[in-house]
Amino acid sequence: MDLKKLKKIIQPIRDSNVSLQERLFRLLTLIGLIGMVFAVLMGVAAGEGLVNTIGMALGFLIFFVIVYFSIKYRRIQTGAVIIGGLLLYVVMPFNFLTTGGPYGGASSWCILAVVFVALLVENKVKYFMIVTGLLVLLGIYFWSYLYPSILAMHTIQMVYLDSAVSMAVVAAVTCGMLLFQNAVYRSANRMAQRQKKEIEELNQAQNRFFSSMSHEIRTPINTIIGLNEMIMREDISDEVAENAENIQAASRMLLALINDILDMSKMESGKMDIVPVSYDVGSMLSDIVNMIWVRAQEKGLEFHIDVDQSMPSRLMGDEVRIKQVLINVLNNAVKYTEEGSVTLSIQCRKQEPGYAQVVYSVTDTGMGIKKENIPHLFSAFKRVDEEKNRYIEGTGLGLSIVKQLVDLMGGDITVNSVYTKGSTFIITLPQEIVSEKEIGYLDFEERHVTNTRKRYQTSFEAPRARVLVVDDNETNLMVAEKLLRDTKVQTETVDSGVKCLERTAQTRYDVILMDHLMPGMDGIACLREVRTQTGGMNHETPVVVLTANAGGENQLLYKREGFDGYLSKPVTGSQLEAEVLKHLPRELVTMENGQDSFGVVQKPFVQRTQNKMPLLISTDSVCDLPEEMTERYRIAILPYRVVTEGGEFIDGQEAGTDGVLSYVRRGRRAHSEAPETAQYEAFFAEQLTKAQYVIHMTMSEKVSKGYENALEASKSFDNVEVIDTEYLSSGMGLMVLQAAKLAAADMPRESVLEQIGRMRARVRTSFVVDDTGYLMQAGRISPRIDTICKAVMAHPILQLKNGKMQAGAVKIGTRKSVWKKYVDSTLKGAGRIDKSLLFLTHAGLSFEELQEIEKMIGEIITFEKVIYQKASPAISINCGPGAFGLLFLVQEGK
């Protein structure tokens, strides 16, 4: 044997870069080789014949060859299966028979063979080999018990030697394997811990980098925005004004990108905090309108807003994050819409006392989203439909951040979209009610502010007020000073905390604006010194932190440290003026007439007031419900199609039941077809303009393709649930009706779905057929069966079993005698019937015939309400004229 090849097998056992399976394979096969050498030596020592010894040596060679080629060609699993099979089915039985059977060491080696297969063979093959191998070994045991002469017996000394050595070797090998596997797992665990630590350190370094980057970039942006605003305040030409406005827009866009990256970093590290505050709903919506209106107007889009006038005027929530979510989704809607409109709808559903679910819907008429892309919509850095959207700006972080923020706020976001038709994003957030006062009508025309430039007017003047600005960046000091210039406040600036303390020891200020991150003494340390300064003159002076450290967690930090206000760079002139004004003594302030940096220009603004239903039940026209009921419970109906030799007709609209029955009576062929997937998509999209959620209930999937098509269409809508009722006709209608009643009672969607599932067991649906010829035309029975039925006056009873229409029984006799038999067997064998409602659904029966059938029913049971329901054309053409069915519910649990 080539020792170099054997060495190649042994060396990688200790190599941690080699897979665990391969290392175990090498170890066990090495042990197997040693065992086979031992077996050969034992055979020689026992004086076995040359044939046996050569056989064992040949087996040893085959074993080695399989191992070598399995490792060489990386087919470890194949090698393990071959070797395991040879051990269990050939080597171990042979060894058992030739070494004394139960009197030698064969039993110990059999255990080792089973352990080999258990450790190295994978998937179902492992269990098959273990079970069959054990059966083979048990069979050998039983065979040797019945026929002891088949065992090759040795001397008593060799039996003891073989048994003892085999037991010792197998025990040592098993322990060695377990110790080796434990060592490997411990090594892998240590490596995983090291990798985890490295990843955590990497995340911390990444977060520090992003935080530092945000801080450093915000400082120059603050300069750009601040100085650009000073330019816009001057009497400049239209061309310069346009350039300044473009600079302002680009700066805001850059700031938004930085915020997205910083937010994603915080979320990945689990440091994103939600800070609930009491906020005014109207003011928040006004801010959003002001921002989105301009972008929509630039693209020539209409911007609509629907506000539930009954929603509370003040709520408790993280206003900043709610605005971020809505602006992100609205910006996306504007970005991906080339023509048409973008609509923001807000509805409020009060729940337990003091709490409400606020539902924000953003609908656009843009390009829509492909069904296969919807699952990837909220993935970071993932942009769907790259080819079509490659020229649209953005980082790919927006919707990922939106999803995570909504989750952090305990809400939910869903998407409904039809490709090329548009999309609807629905965001549901739980919020606490602060004020029960209704928001009422919001006049956004008066609130709306455009970016049309007007001469800047300061909001106030305070020539006797003194303001100290502390920042280590000279440009930031200059920007703050210039932005406050027109208010005529006396502004002083210093570039360090030490210099600040020198000023506060000598002069009393009305407001101090303080940066946080400064070399030497930072803003927090400086604030503490100001508050406790011996002989200081500003112990009670309001101190506002003016920092590039943005984020809700930083706001909490500054509030805990005792700052009186918070401003995040970059800061606008209006923000700075508003914050300073908030802290100045009233007697130092003179208010001006105009309080905004830009004038108000009224523009036509479309506002609609449309409240959506929380839940809508929809179904197909084959539900066979009276129109009065579908209208009362607002059940939406999608019609089937009736296909005849003369063309296609819409079920119940272009083709009525009487006309279809007249058509088939003349021997013409007709059949019904479910709506196509595209028709379901359009139907669902229309219903979602009326409701937040839709539950669509279809006929049994084993009878029609309606369920399959509806389910495929629903993949475009997160807010559509498709349910297979497993029934048809008014049996399906009974379930639809009960679900609609629950929805009308404002039962939660999850509870309605649960009730629908329980309702299936309560429905009873069957029809008696008058003429089997129509079943033959529909392809349900053969012409021969039709001939026999007519000859013996047989009338099949069609029943739904496991969702499939079957002939449950056959009644023989005249037409009216069959009616009597059908009514008796159906009602008497149904158990405890719910007597509230019975549908007598029929195809082409007269009123007098229906009354006669109702009289038969009344002799057995009295229903509170019996509805004569004409079957839809789609149902009638399958049962034929003269057919009718009794459809009702049984009591629950019966």
Side-chain angles (χ1 to χ4, degrees), residues 463-478:
R464 293 181 294 140
R466 301 178 71 94
V467 174
L468 177 64
V469 185
V470 187
D471 199 307
D472 63 307
N473 186 291
E474 292 185 7
T475 309
N476 286 339
L477 294 173
M478 177 188 66

Side-chain angles (χ1 to χ4, degrees), residues 283-457:
S283 297
M284 184 195 75
L285 294 178
S286 182
D287 290 344
I288 294 170
V289 167
N290 289 343
M291 188 174 297
I292 301 303
W293 169 262
V294 177
R295 295 204 63 188
Q297 190 181 46
E298 287 171 354
K299 293 191 70 173
L301 303 175
E302 291 184 17
F303 180 41
H304 307 283
I305 182 164
D306 304 337
V307 182
D308 183 354
Q309 296 186 24
S310 65
M311 75 181 297
S313 58
R314 291 195 70 82
L315 296 171
M316 177 73 75
D318 192 330
E319 180 185 11
V320 173
R321 296 306 178 189
I322 294 171
K323 284 170 68 174
Q324 183 179 356
V325 165
L326 293 178
I327 288 170
N328 227 324
V329 176
L330 283 164
N331 272 334
N332 253 26
V334 173
K335 190 189 300 182
Y336 291 98
T337 302
E338 293 304 319
E339 59 181 5
S341 65
V342 173
T343 302
L344 170 64
S345 301
I346 303 102
Q347 285 190 283
C348 182
R349 297 200 296 269
K350 294 182 181 178
Q351 297 183 316
E352 55 190 278
Y355 290 89
Q357 287 275 9
V358 183
V359 182
Y360 308 91
S361 301
V362 177
T363 303
D364 64 64
T365 57
M367 61 182 67
I369 306 161
K370 292 180 179 177
K371 279 183 285 192
E372 59 269 24
N373 288 331
I374 289 178
H376 309 293
L377 202 58
F378 299 108
S379 301
F381 303 107
K382 175 79 174 178
R383 174 173 283 178
V384 299
D385 210 354
E386 289 273 7
E387 181 64 25
K388 184 172 277 192
N389 301 330
R390 63 186 184 277
Y391 298 117
I392 295 179
E393 63 194 22
T395 59
L397 289 174
L399 288 180
S400 176
I401 292 171
V402 164
K403 170 65 174 169
Q404 295 186 63
L405 283 176
V406 169
D407 289 343
L408 282 172
M409 290 187 283
D412 181 52
I413 180 169
T414 55
V415 185
N416 304 309
S417 184
V418 178
Y419 191 55
T420 73
K421 299 290 180 64
S423 306
T424 298
F425 286 76
I426 300 173
I427 302 147
T428 305
L429 295 175
Q431 295 184 56
E432 188 177 344
I433 299 172
V434 176
S435 170
E436 292 286 353
K437 180 183 177 183
E438 295 184 353
I439 194 170
Y441 176 74
L442 295 177
D443 190 349
F444 285 102
E445 289 188 4
E446 291 184 4
R447 290 171 175 258
H448 179 63
V449 180
T450 73
N451 65 347
T452 303
R453 185 172 63 93
K454 277 198 174 184
R455 179 93 181 152
Y456 164 78
Q457 286 185 319

Side-chain angles (χ1 to χ4, degrees), residues 615-875:
L615 177 63
L616 181 143
I617 305 297
S618 65
T619 187
D620 300 322
S621 61
V622 290
C623 69
D624 290 340
L625 282 174
E627 186 176 347
E628 177 265 329
M629 285 187 168
T630 60
E631 290 179 354
R632 184 196 310 170
Y633 294 105
R634 300 176 70 177
I635 301 170
I637 304 291
L638 180 63
Y640 265 52
R641 289 170 294 140
V642 176
V643 182
T644 68
E645 296 171 7
E648 292 187 7
F649 303 92
I650 298 174
D651 183 20
Q653 297 178 19
E654 298 175 344
T657 302
D658 294 337
V660 169
L661 290 176
S662 174
Y663 182 85
V664 296
R665 278 193 182 103
R666 297 197 298 269
R668 304 283 186 88
R669 290 188 175 272
H671 67 276
S672 62
E673 288 187 1
E676 300 292 339
T677 300
Q679 292 172 301
Y680 276 113
E681 286 180 349
F683 177 72
F684 292 154
E686 180 186 354
Q687 302 316 312
L688 285 170
T689 63
K690 307 170 187 175
Q692 300 292 346
Y693 289 94
V694 171
I695 295 177
H696 186 79
M697 304 175 69
T698 71
M699 188 159 61
S700 170
E701 65 172 326
K702 296 178 181 178
V703 178
S704 163
K705 288 188 67 177
Y707 175 76
E708 179 185 336
N709 293 348
L711 189 64
E712 180 64 26
S714 71
K715 293 177 181 177
S716 295
F717 308 92
D718 284 346
N719 292 49
V720 174
E721 190 91 28
V722 176
I723 302 295
D724 178 6
T725 64
E726 300 181 6
Y727 291 98
L728 51 71
S729 187
S730 296
M732 166 185 165
L734 278 168
M735 292 185 65
V736 171
L737 184 61
Q738 297 301 317
K741 288 179 178 179
L742 297 175
D746 290 331
M747 180 176 282
R749 177 171 55 102
E750 295 77 10
S751 301
V752 173
L753 290 171
E754 181 184 348
Q755 290 294 326
I756 290 172
R758 293 166 58 181
M759 208 181 302
R760 286 194 183 96
R762 298 178 55 203
V763 178
R764 297 294 180 266
T765 299
S766 62
F767 282 86
V768 59
V769 176
D770 188 54
D771 186 346
T772 55
Y774 298 101
L775 293 179
M776 181 192 70
Q777 286 185 23
R780 297 190 178 277
I781 61 173
S782 66
R784 184 176 181 181
I785 296 295
D786 174 47
T787 303
I788 294 171
C789 287
K790 288 178 177 177
V792 298
M793 298 172 56
H795 300 263
I797 308 299
L798 300 181
Q799 295 178 331
L800 268 174
K801 292 184 178 179
N802 299 319
K804 191 173 183 179
M805 183 64 79
Q806 299 175 350
V810 175
K811 303 296 181 184
I812 297 175
T814 61
R815 189 185 191 204
K816 293 190 177 182
S817 67
V818 166
W819 288 359
K820 178 67 174 172
K821 292 176 183 177
Y822 165 64
V823 170
D824 287 351
S825 62
T826 300
L827 297 179
K828 289 179 179 178
R832 295 189 63 182
I833 295 172
D834 183 339
K835 300 178 183 179
S836 60
L837 180 64
L838 169 74
F839 278 98
L840 204 173
T841 304
H842 66 97
L845 293 179
S846 67
F847 181 73
E848 290 74 17
E849 289 172 325
L850 293 170
Q851 284 187 315
E852 189 172 348
I853 295 170
E854 184 178 1
K855 184 178 179 181
M856 297 177 186
I857 295 168
E859 293 172 358
I860 301 170
I861 186 171
T862 302
F863 284 91
E864 295 173 15
K865 188 172 186 179
V866 177
I867 295 178
Y868 299 163
Q869 177 61 37
K870 188 178 292 186
S872 67
I875 295 293

Side-chain angles (χ1 to χ4, degrees), residues 496-729:
S496 70
V498 174
K499 291 180 180 178
C500 171
L501 293 176
E502 292 174 359
R503 295 290 183 92
T504 56
Q506 301 170 5
T507 308
R508 188 190 182 285
Y509 296 97
D510 298 296
V511 176
I512 298 175
L513 302 174
M514 178 102 56
D515 187 21
H516 175 198
L517 299 179
M518 297 184 291
M521 181 185 294
D522 67 19
I524 293 175
C526 186
L527 171 66
R528 291 170 182 165
E529 292 295 329
V530 168
R531 295 297 189 218
T532 59
Q533 189 178 30
T534 303
M537 304 181 67
N538 294 273
H539 292 170
E540 304 297 329
T541 299
V543 181
V544 176
V545 63
L546 178 57
T547 178
N549 285 345
E553 71 284 357
N554 288 321
Q555 291 186 49
L556 289 174
L557 167 67
Y558 298 131
K559 186 176 181 180
R560 286 196 304 267
E561 293 296 340
F563 283 97
D564 300 283
Y566 168 86
L567 281 173
S568 173
K569 298 173 186 174
V571 65
T572 64
S574 58
Q575 290 172 334
L576 187 58
E577 286 184 14
E579 189 66 30
V580 170
L581 176 62
K582 187 164 65 175
H583 299 288
L584 284 177
R586 298 298 94 179
E587 64 272 13
L588 299 180
V589 176
T590 303
M591 301 301 297
E592 297 295 317
N593 291 330
Q595 295 189 18
D596 293 319
S597 297
F598 299 93
V600 176
V601 180
Q602 292 191 1
K603 293 284 183 180
F605 187 87
V606 183
Q607 178 174 10
R608 303 177 298 176
T609 53
Q610 174 185 319
N611 288 332
K612 290 185 178 182
M613 301 167 57
L615 177 63
L616 181 143
I617 305 297
S618 65
T619 187
D620 300 322
S621 61
V622 290
C623 69
D624 290 340
L625 282 174
E627 186 176 347
E628 177 265 329
M629 285 187 168
T630 60
E631 290 179 354
R632 184 196 310 170
Y633 294 105
R634 300 176 70 177
I635 301 170
I637 304 291
L638 180 63
Y640 265 52
R641 289 170 294 140
V642 176
V643 182
T644 68
E645 296 171 7
E648 292 187 7
F649 303 92
I650 298 174
D651 183 20
Q653 297 178 19
E654 298 175 344
T657 302
D658 294 337
V660 169
L661 290 176
S662 174
Y663 182 85
V664 296
R665 278 193 182 103
R666 297 197 298 269
R668 304 283 186 88
R669 290 188 175 272
H671 67 276
S672 62
E673 288 187 1
E676 300 292 339
T677 300
Q679 292 172 301
Y680 276 113
E681 286 180 349
F683 177 72
F684 292 154
E686 180 186 354
Q687 302 316 312
L688 285 170
T689 63
K690 307 170 187 175
Q692 300 292 346
Y693 289 94
V694 171
I695 295 177
H696 186 79
M697 304 175 69
T698 71
M699 188 159 61
S700 170
E701 65 172 326
K702 296 178 181 178
V703 178
S704 163
K705 288 188 67 177
Y707 175 76
E708 179 185 336
N709 293 348
L711 189 64
E712 180 64 26
S714 71
K715 293 177 181 177
S716 295
F717 308 92
D718 284 346
N719 292 49
V720 174
E721 190 91 28
V722 176
I723 302 295
D724 178 6
T725 64
E726 300 181 6
Y727 291 98
L728 51 71
S729 187

